[in-house]
Amino acid sequence: MRRPALMLPGAALALLCAAPALAQDIEPNAEPIEAALKSGPLTPDEVLRSSALTFPQVLEAFEREAAARADQLGADGAFDLMLKGEYYDRLTGYYSGGFGKVEARQPLRLYGAEVFGSYRVSSGDFPIYENYNYTNNLGEVKVGALFSLLRNRDIDSRRFAIEDTRLAASQAKLDVMLVQLNVQHEALRAYWRWVAAGEEIRVFEELLEIAEARQVGLTREVNEGARARIALTENEQNLLRRRTLLEQARRDFLTASNSLGFYLRGADGEMVIPTREMLPDLARMKSVAKPEALAATPVSEVIRNRPELQTFKIALERANNRVALRRNDLQPSLNASVELSRDFGQIGPGGPGFDSTDTVVGLTFSVPLQRRTAQGAVQRAEAELRETELRQRRISDQITTDVANILANLGAAIKLADLADAEVKQANAMVQAERTRFRLGAGEFFLVNAREETAANARISAIRAQLAGRLAEASYNAATMNLKALGLE
């Protein structure tokens, strides 16, 4: 008999069609998977809870988000209040002048402005080329502000960094969701393949048990002279073939168990390899949802909520900000400043010229005559923006196509499952009829074996169809962000 592909038996139809709610709300203090496993068969809920809470890739995504939030905090530091102190004194020499100064500066986001305030007090005599250091006896207080009127007025590297890191943190959060969706999707697929592999073993175990029981009867009949020894030899050949099929099924189940154990982990993050004793009762599992019910949500809404497209929206915003920053570099620099200072106390050695309230305004202007560096940066930023827009369109179309294909596959899988079940019933009826003919002496032993193996193949086909339906349902839930079904609500 040709070795069928890894699938579930006829009972798998019920299994693949009926997982109760695939997931429940995940609580931080959710029951450890080890305790849940002791209470009964392994369910999709337990697998999804385990992968959501302990799978390393999910935890890595959370750490990347934390790193992005840290970058955001670091960018905000560009507008931290700065305090600066300065002390200057002459220890020897003709002049004795010295001073102490403390200054606070606060950058502002509006107009790239900066406000400052300082206090300075001096003592002793200064040479004429340092006479600006003089203050009255109680010192000088100065306040002022700087403004950008052209370049750096609306955006500069500091404000760009703050906005860019904020958007990057939002992207990292969306990346967490995307990782979670992918992990839960793969965990579900691993779970259903594990169940299918377990059901396949049952099919081949039953097939082998029939051949072993028949071997006992044939041995008795041959010894009594009621049947030719060739029948015994032929059944021995069937035994070897069916044992081979069973060993292959056991190998596939072990492989599927290891794959599921990759997502099924204990509270300490160590993998838990499931055993056959943990296989669920398929009869209690809910059937696969019909495509008509799944398609109730418009595809346009599905696409709009996908993390990939939300990420592209943010990427476009980041790209537009980058273009704005590069265009800002093309503008000339025109900065304005205003200062107000006042000395207090008795007039110092500097004389009455320092005993006044001074208001000073200023303008500075500069522009590079060749701006090729800035122009090249602008062109690159604009090209990256167009590239992002085109990639967004491609991914949107790809998601639309994927969802349509998933629904088509699901509909076909359900129909094929119904046909496979009908085929199983007919194959079983043929087996019973051929066995009856054989017992009455009207049939051939070869035909009995052939009918049994045909029936086994039909059961494997039913398993395959049901597994395809489960996988399509899991893919649809992942594509449409059905958080409840994926254990992420």
Side-chain angles (χ1 to χ4, degrees), residues 103 150 224 254 263 294 330 338 359 381 392 419 449 453 468:
E103 180 183 63
L150 290 177
E224 294 174 353
L254 180 59
Y263 298 96
L294 294 176
L330 289 173
V338 57
T359 303
Q392 180 188 34
L419 293 172
N449 286 325
E453 293 179 359

Side-chain angles (χ1 to χ4, degrees), residues 334-353:
L334 179 61
N335 299 324
S337 63
V338 57
E339 292 181 359
L340 177 66
S341 62
R342 173 66 189 176
D343 281 65
F344 297 91
Q346 294 182 354
I347 298 175

Side-chain angles (χ1 to χ4, degrees), residues 23-27 482-489:
Q24 299 173 349
D25 294 351
I26 295 178
E27 301 291 343
N482 187 340
L483 302 184
K484 182 178 180 180
L486 295 173
L488 296 174
E489 188 176 47

Side-chain angles (χ1 to χ4, degrees), residues 7-20 41-44 191-203 206 253 276-288 421 459-460 462-467 470:
M7 284 296 155
L8 271 153
L13 181 73
L15 164 74
L16 294 178
C17 294
L42 181 63
T43 66
Y191 174 80
W192 293 122
R193 286 180 174 133
W194 170 72
V195 174
E199 289 300 313
E200 184 177 337
I201 288 181
R202 293 173 184 173
V203 173
E206 293 174 9
F253 179 76
R276 283 193 66 184
E277 290 73 19
M278 297 161 62
L279 285 168
D281 182 0
L282 301 184
R284 298 184 179 181
M285 306 296 280
K286 189 171 62 177
S287 60
V288 176
D421 281 346
R459 291 181 64 186
I460 296 299
I463 294 170
R464 179 182 294 111
Q466 293 305 319
L467 176 60
R470 281 298 181 191

Side-chain angles (χ1 to χ4, degrees), residues 185-398:
H185 179 210
E186 292 303 321
L188 270 181
R189 290 171 65 87
Y191 174 80
W192 293 122
R193 286 180 174 133
W194 170 72
V195 174
E199 289 300 313
E200 184 177 337
I201 288 181
R202 293 173 184 173
V203 173
F204 290 115
E205 283 180 340
E206 293 174 9
L207 195 62
L208 178 60
E209 288 172 2
I210 293 171
E212 289 175 339
R214 182 174 294 130
Q215 184 74 354
V216 175
L218 288 175
T219 300
R220 184 178 61 253
E221 292 180 4
V222 169
N223 291 337
E224 294 174 353
R227 193 175 298 278
R229 180 168 292 276
I230 188 64
L232 190 61
T233 303
E234 183 179 358
N235 195 63
E236 289 174 348
Q237 184 181 24
N238 288 333
L239 277 170
L240 291 174
R241 183 166 60 250
R242 294 179 184 185
R243 283 171 181 154
T244 300
L245 292 172
L246 179 57
E247 286 304 316
Q248 292 173 343
R250 288 171 175 167
R251 176 203 61 194
D252 292 341
F253 179 76
L254 180 59
T255 300
S257 298
N258 291 334
S259 297
L260 179 56
F262 184 57
Y263 298 96
L264 185 66
R265 295 170 182 262
D268 58 358
E270 293 296 322
M271 294 188 297
V272 177
I273 306 301
T275 62
R276 283 193 66 184
E277 290 73 19
M278 297 161 62
L279 285 168
D281 182 0
L282 301 184
R284 298 184 179 181
M285 306 296 280
K286 189 171 62 177
S287 60
V288 176
K290 300 295 183 182
E292 301 78 30
L294 294 176
T297 303
V299 175
S300 59
E301 182 178 342
V302 171
I303 294 175
R304 184 167 58 251
N305 294 330
R306 284 294 303 179
E308 299 96 321
L309 298 186
Q310 295 294 327
T311 297
F312 272 116
K313 289 181 180 179
I314 297 176
L316 286 174
E317 190 173 351
R318 294 180 70 182
N320 278 310
N321 289 344
R322 195 171 293 109
V323 170
L325 178 65
R326 298 314 176 195
R327 288 176 176 169
N328 171 73
D329 294 338
L330 289 173
Q331 298 188 63
S333 175
L334 179 61
N335 299 324
S337 63
V338 57
E339 292 181 359
L340 177 66
S341 62
R342 173 66 189 176
D343 281 65
F344 297 91
Q346 294 182 354
I347 298 175
F354 289 87
D355 187 31
S356 64
T357 300
D358 298 330
T359 303
V360 180
V361 297
L363 286 175
T364 59
F365 175 81
S366 66
V367 59
L369 297 181
Q370 291 180 307
R371 296 176 291 176
R372 289 175 293 184
T373 299
Q375 290 170 348
V378 168
Q379 292 174 9
R380 179 178 180 82
E382 291 174 342
E384 290 174 348
L385 174 61
R386 292 191 296 270
E387 178 190 4
T388 303
E389 291 173 340
L390 293 172
R391 191 183 302 116
Q392 180 188 34
R393 183 186 306 172
R394 174 175 61 83
I395 296 300
S396 176
D397 293 343
Q398 182 66 56

Side-chain angles (χ1 to χ4, degrees), residues 66-247:
R69 296 293 179 192
D71 290 340
Q72 184 180 7
L73 178 62
D76 289 338
F79 289 88
D80 286 347
L81 176 66
M82 298 295 293
L83 185 64
K84 178 182 178 181
E86 184 179 357
Y87 174 75
Y88 173 86
D89 200 3
R90 284 180 167 82
L91 299 180
T92 61
Y94 180 80
Y95 294 99
S96 60
F99 68 87
K101 178 180 179 182
V102 61
E103 180 183 63
R105 287 182 173 267
Q106 176 63 65
L108 303 176
R109 300 190 186 189
L110 186 64
Y111 290 104
E114 182 178 78
V115 294
F116 62 89
S118 66
Y119 173 76
R120 184 169 59 90
V121 61
S122 68
S123 64
D125 298 323
F126 292 93
I128 190 170
Y129 51 82
E130 292 183 10
N131 67 347
Y132 54 82
N133 289 325
Y134 282 118
T135 68
N136 283 355
N137 289 344
L138 294 182
E140 174 199 66
V141 175
K142 179 185 291 187
V143 294
L146 305 173
F147 302 92
S148 299
L149 303 181
L150 290 177
R151 186 193 300 174
N152 299 335
R153 184 188 65 180
D154 300 319
I155 189 174
D156 58 23
S157 58
R158 297 174 302 173
R159 283 173 284 173
F160 169 81
I162 288 177
E163 183 66 11
D164 195 60
T165 53
R166 181 188 68 82
L167 294 173
S170 298
Q171 281 185 318
K173 184 175 182 180
L174 289 170
D175 183 60
V176 170
M177 174 59 68
L178 184 59
V179 169
Q180 288 178 317
L181 290 174
N182 292 336
V183 167
Q184 300 301 83
H185 179 210
E186 292 303 321
L188 270 181
R189 290 171 65 87
Y191 174 80
W192 293 122
R193 286 180 174 133
W194 170 72
V195 174
E199 289 300 313
E200 184 177 337
I201 288 181
R202 293 173 184 173
V203 173
F204 290 115
E205 283 180 340
E206 293 174 9
L207 195 62
L208 178 60
E209 288 172 2
I210 293 171
E212 289 175 339
R214 182 174 294 130
Q215 184 74 354
V216 175
L218 288 175
T219 300
R220 184 178 61 253
E221 292 180 4
V222 169
N223 291 337
E224 294 174 353
R227 193 175 298 278
R229 180 168 292 276
I230 188 64
L232 190 61
T233 303
E234 183 179 358
N235 195 63
E236 289 174 348
Q237 184 181 24
N238 288 333
L239 277 170
L240 291 174
R241 183 166 60 250
R242 294 179 184 185
R243 283 171 181 154
T244 300
L245 292 172
L246 179 57
E247 286 304 316

